Amino acid sequence: HTLPYDAALLDGYMDGKPLPVSLWSAVTMPALVLEGTESPASLRHGAQALANVLPNAQLLSKKGLGHTKKLAAHLIAEELTAFFGPNGKGR
């Protein structure tokens, strides 16, 4: 039931329309943008666009992940643990 709202909100952005930098420039905390190499191109483009506008973002492409695959929670957990762990950038 949220798909029409989602589609209206994301109109153009999943196709490469740049995100407004002014909406993201105040986000100064470290951010991990994680994408699956097996996700559809539109979702990977969206992840790249978000990483481009966040001032302190790291984009990580993870093989074996994709929105159309069974969730590989252990692969995501490994990256989140590294990012938020004692020596990670998300601390």
Side-chain angles (χ1 to χ4, degrees), residues 5-6 8 17 27 31 48 54 62 67 69 74 85:
Y5 172 77
D6 295 346
K17 177 181 172 185
V27 180
Q48 180 66 62
L54 286 171
K62 189 74 174 173
H67 276 73
K69 296 182 69 167
H74 68 283

Side-chain angles (χ1 to χ4, degrees), residues 35-58:
E35 68 168 0
T37 60
E38 298 174 37
S39 287
S42 60
L43 295 178
R44 293 192 324 269
H45 292 155
Q48 180 66 62
L50 183 59
N52 287 344
V53 296
L54 286 171
N56 198 12
Q58 170 189 349

Side-chain angles (χ1 to χ4, degrees), residues 4-5 7 18-19 22 24 33 36 45 47 49 51 54 65 68 89:
Y5 172 77
L19 293 169
S22 62
W24 303 96
V33 180
H45 292 155
L54 286 171
L65 293 180
T68 57
K89 294 180 181 178

Side-chain angles (χ1 to χ4, degrees), residues 1-90:
H1 67 282
T2 64
L3 287 178
Y5 172 77
D6 295 346
L9 182 66
L10 298 174
D11 187 36
Y13 295 118
M14 300 299 271
D15 296 323
K17 177 181 172 185
L19 293 169
V21 175
S22 62
L23 295 179
W24 303 96
S25 60
V27 180
T28 58
M29 71 184 96
L32 176 64
V33 180
L34 182 61
E35 68 168 0
T37 60
E38 298 174 37
S39 287
S42 60
L43 295 178
R44 293 192 324 269
H45 292 155
Q48 180 66 62
L50 183 59
N52 287 344
V53 296
L54 286 171
N56 198 12
Q58 170 189 349
L59 176 66
L60 179 62
S61 297
K62 189 74 174 173
K63 186 175 179 172
L65 293 180
H67 276 73
T68 57
K69 296 182 69 167
K70 182 179 178 185
L71 180 65
H74 68 283
L75 295 176
I76 296 169
E78 289 172 5
E79 299 305 335
L80 293 177
T81 299
F83 185 75
F84 289 110
N87 298 318
K89 294 180 181 178

